Amino acid sequence: MATKKISNKVKATGPKASGIKRAGKVAPAKGKLGVMVIGFGAVATTMIAGVEAVRRGLAKPIGSLTQMGTIRIGKRTDNTSPLIKEFVPLADLNDVVFTGWDIFKDNVYEAAAHAAVLDKETLAKLKPYLQTIKPMPAVFDQYYVKRLNGTHVKKGKNKRDLADQVIADIKAFKKTVDRVVMIWCGSTEIFLEPTAVHQSIKAFEKGLEANDIGIAPSQIYAYAALSEGVPFANGAPNLTVDTPALIELSKKNAAPICGKDFKTGQTFMKTVLAPAFKARMIGVSGWFSTNILGNRDGEVLDDPQSFKTKEESKLGSLEYIFQPELYPDLYKDIYHKIRINYYPPRGDDKEAWDNIDIFGWLGYPMQIKVNFLCRDSILAAPIALDLVLFLDLAKRTPELRSRGIQEWLSFYLKSPQTAAGLYPEHDLFIQSMKLKNTLRHIMGADLITHLGLEYYD
Ligand SMILES: NC(=O)c1ccc[n+]([C@@H]2O[C@H](COP(=O)([O-])OP(=O)(O)OC[C@H]3O[C@@H](n4cnc5c(N)ncnc54)[C@H](O)[C@@H]3O)[C@@H](O)[C@H]2O)c1
């Protein structure tokens, strides 16, 4: 079906977000968007190389909603489905500029070659550009990532000093671009729970001075970003901004944040299948998920403390989707087990198996097996790009920028972040609807409820 191209001026006649007034218009995406990436590993280099390949017309941005997705505006009979990037003012890929940090000195070409996600021919074409991006020295402490040890790291008298050095990096980069967003594509840190130091900005700043052990490197970067009013995304399951102190800082400085841990392979499938079972009132007694993975991420996750962080992030989705307290007969006794095994021969080509024990009418058991042979970073790269572009949009949107957590970006994340007291929404299709309705709302278009009775008047 042909779709009409429409302008950003939308005539609004249908349902609106009840009780919520738009705070003002979204500012245009003028000039350069600077993207500061923490960790030039498999995901980050695949994203950066991919953006350059798309800019040069060598490939299509498959998997990216911001680049390929459309959004329906108005009634189904209106046939109006513009591209999302034409409906909301997103930064153009030609205006995106990358920089970042890593604990190794390799430039992005060398790091991408090491990650071995993209083939040699593709990388060779992109080499002149990729080798110009060189990492700045990182904030790193092996206590938080046991399996890594790098030499390209900042030295400072305490964590405050390190945060100030990152702030100086941000300020210098800001002079070369018009807007900045930061994204953590670094390794998974050990499992940390919020402590007293995370309860307020004041306590956090004292903790930086006192080198509090509860403050991980990812939080030092995040603190620096949010202090500078820079939106921050987290691709790993680390605690990072999921603390009262950094949420407070995000709101105070109008620097949007979202949840954590890119939702790419197995959890992506879970948040598609589980809502389907629940919608049909199919019971589930067990869900066993196992993976083999051979990249550096797999090596880091081989450490039990980093694995614990990942496991917690992966476990949450089913519990929330199935709502066993509402459906005890169907989901009360579900046994959910997750395994990740480091297996070097596979590199970035992860293989995931799920065995799902379900039961139907009168309790009769059945089984479903899912075998996903995926490419981890091929799935993650467009998510990283979309998060960056949407966080920049949020920063330019008066309605969104001072709300701190951008729950509408849960769509991309294994661990959505929510306001205190709200349970996270994991169902991919509800997340997708929330995302698109947020875009409609900020542009003053009608929300889509899917009621559709008007077609039968
Ligand atoms: N690939 C996926 O599908 C996927 C999905 C969800 C989450 N993730 C998460 O995204 C993150 C990146 O994944 P990856 O496959 O690119 O891993 P990777 O190991 O290839 O890359 C991580 C990079 O971060 C660097 N690094 C570590 N600590 C750092 C620090 N403190 N400062 C700066 N750089 C630092 C490492 O040197 C490395 O280059 C991991 O935490 C992973 O768990 C990946």
Side-chain angles (χ1 to χ4, degrees):
M1 185 173 37
T3 58
K4 273 190 278 176
K5 256 185 118 179
I6 63 156
S7 76
N8 287 348
K9 288 183 207 74
V10 179
K11 217 172 111 220
T13 50
K16 288 276 173 282
S18 61
I20 300 183
K21 268 190 149 179
R22 275 205 307 153
K25 283 203 172 139
V26 184
K30 270 201 222 127
K32 298 281 177 208
L33 172 64
V35 180
M36 305 193 88
V37 183
I38 309 151
F40 285 156
V43 174
T45 57
T46 307
M47 167 181 66
I48 297 170
V51 166
E52 179 63 3
V54 171
R55 290 198 283 225
R56 291 175 44 184
L58 301 174
K60 296 260 184 243
I62 314 272
S64 164
L65 186 68
T66 60
Q67 303 308 301
M68 304 197 82
T70 62
I71 183 163
R72 187 185 117 201
I73 304 300
K75 293 183 179 181
R76 271 182 274 167
T77 44
D78 292 347
N79 282 339
T80 306
S81 295
L83 283 170
I84 286 174
K85 66 178 181 178
E86 286 172 2
F87 178 63
V88 290
L90 290 180
D92 190 284
L93 291 191
N94 290 312
D95 292 327
V96 172
V97 180
F98 292 103
T99 187
W101 301 267
D102 203 289
I103 65 170
F104 301 109
K105 268 198 170 132
D106 295 353
N107 64 46
V108 171
Y109 171 75
E110 291 161 337
H114 176 85
V117 177
L118 302 177
D119 58 59
K120 289 196 174 94
E121 297 73 49
T122 305
L123 284 179
K125 286 185 200 149
L126 305 170
K127 184 174 178 180
Y129 168 73
L130 296 180
Q131 64 187 5
T132 63
I133 309 170
K134 298 178 181 129
M136 298 179 272
V139 176
F140 182 73
D141 180 341
Q142 204 183 12
Y143 173 75
Y144 301 92
V145 185
K146 306 285 184 212
R147 296 284 156 98
L148 283 186
N149 198 4
T151 48
H152 191 51
V153 296
K154 295 188 192 305
K155 294 190 174 49
K157 70 176 193 303
N158 56 22
K159 293 183 178 178
R160 169 86 245 177
D161 186 6
L162 294 171
D164 286 341
Q165 291 181 45
V166 178
I167 289 174
D169 292 343
I170 299 171
K171 285 194 159 134
F173 188 51
K174 271 183 171 172
K175 289 192 181 134
T176 66
V177 292
D178 298 87
R179 305 177 313 283
V180 177
V181 172
M182 194 183 291
I183 183 165
W184 174 273
C185 291
S187 310
T188 301
E189 296 174 330
I190 58 169
F191 184 66
L192 292 176
E193 282 180 297
T195 60
V197 79
H198 299 112
Q199 298 312 312
S200 66
I201 300 176
K202 223 170 134 197
F204 191 88
E205 288 177 340
K206 267 191 166 167
L208 285 173
E209 295 282 351
N211 264 338
D212 192 294
I213 199 161
I215 301 180
S218 65
Q219 291 176 324
I220 297 178
Y221 288 102
Y223 170 82
L226 302 178
S227 300
E228 280 296 298
V230 169
F232 184 93
N234 183 10
N238 314 330
L239 181 66
T240 317
V241 295
D242 205 357
T243 65
L246 294 184
I247 294 170
E248 190 187 334
L249 193 58
S250 155
K251 284 185 165 179
K252 182 173 162 228
N253 293 337
I257 53 174
C258 46
K260 55 192 179 189
D261 206 3
F262 302 130
K263 178 154 89 173
T264 49
Q266 198 166 48
T267 310
F268 167 58
M269 296 308 289
K270 264 186 192 160
T271 62
V272 171
L273 291 173
F277 302 146
K278 192 175 80 173
R280 286 287 170 89
M281 295 291 107
I282 302 281
V284 179
S285 57
W287 199 312
F288 176 71
S289 303
T290 188
N291 299 270
I292 53 174
L293 174 64
N295 60 15
R296 192 183 274 156
D297 185 32
E299 192 179 350
V300 166
L301 293 175
D302 214 33
D303 169 59
Q305 294 188 66
S306 287
F307 174 68
K308 166 92 174 133
T309 311
K310 192 61 131 184
E311 188 184 28
E312 288 289 318
S313 174
K314 279 176 151 259
L315 277 172
S317 58
L318 288 190
E319 176 79 11
Y320 285 109
I321 291 173
F322 284 139
Q323 298 176 291
E325 66 295 348
L326 280 185
Y327 304 103
D329 290 336
L330 301 176
Y331 308 118
K332 182 171 56 70
D333 297 322
I334 178 168
Y335 188 85
H336 188 195
K337 189 86 189 164
I338 294 167
R339 284 272 170 267
I340 300 178
N341 294 298
Y342 178 49
Y343 181 62
R346 282 296 173 88
D348 199 62
D349 297 349
K350 182 156 84 179
E351 182 158 5
W353 291 268
D354 285 83
N355 171 73
I356 315 161
D357 283 293
I358 65 172
F359 53 94
W361 187 240
L362 312 182
Y364 279 76
M366 295 168 262
Q367 290 182 9
I368 296 176
K369 316 275 178 188
V370 181
N371 183 193
F372 191 178
L373 286 89
C374 65
R375 292 173 188 266
D376 232 16
S377 304
I378 293 295
L379 292 169
I383 293 184
L385 172 66
D386 282 3
L387 281 172
V388 160
L389 297 183
F390 277 143
L391 280 175
D392 170 51
L393 174 76
K395 173 81 186 175
R396 285 181 282 110
T397 305
E399 170 85 37
L400 299 176
R401 65 169 158 246
S402 298
R403 287 184 194 265
I405 301 164
Q406 306 294 312
E407 201 194 322
W408 59 286
L409 294 176
S410 302
F411 176 68
Y412 293 109
L413 299 155
K414 281 194 197 76
S415 297
Q417 198 171 353
T418 55
L422 269 187
Y423 70 80
E425 189 50 76
H426 283 274
D427 177 327
L428 188 87
F429 297 102
I430 297 179
Q431 292 174 333
S432 157
M433 226 186 300
K434 188 192 274 288
L435 186 155
K436 289 192 172 181
N437 267 339
T438 304
L439 300 180
R440 293 183 185 105
H441 173 63
I442 63 172
M443 298 308 293
D446 298 342
L447 303 189
I448 288 188
T449 64
H450 299 286
L451 179 63
L453 283 180
E454 68 276 19
Y455 299 115
Y456 299 89
D457 282 347

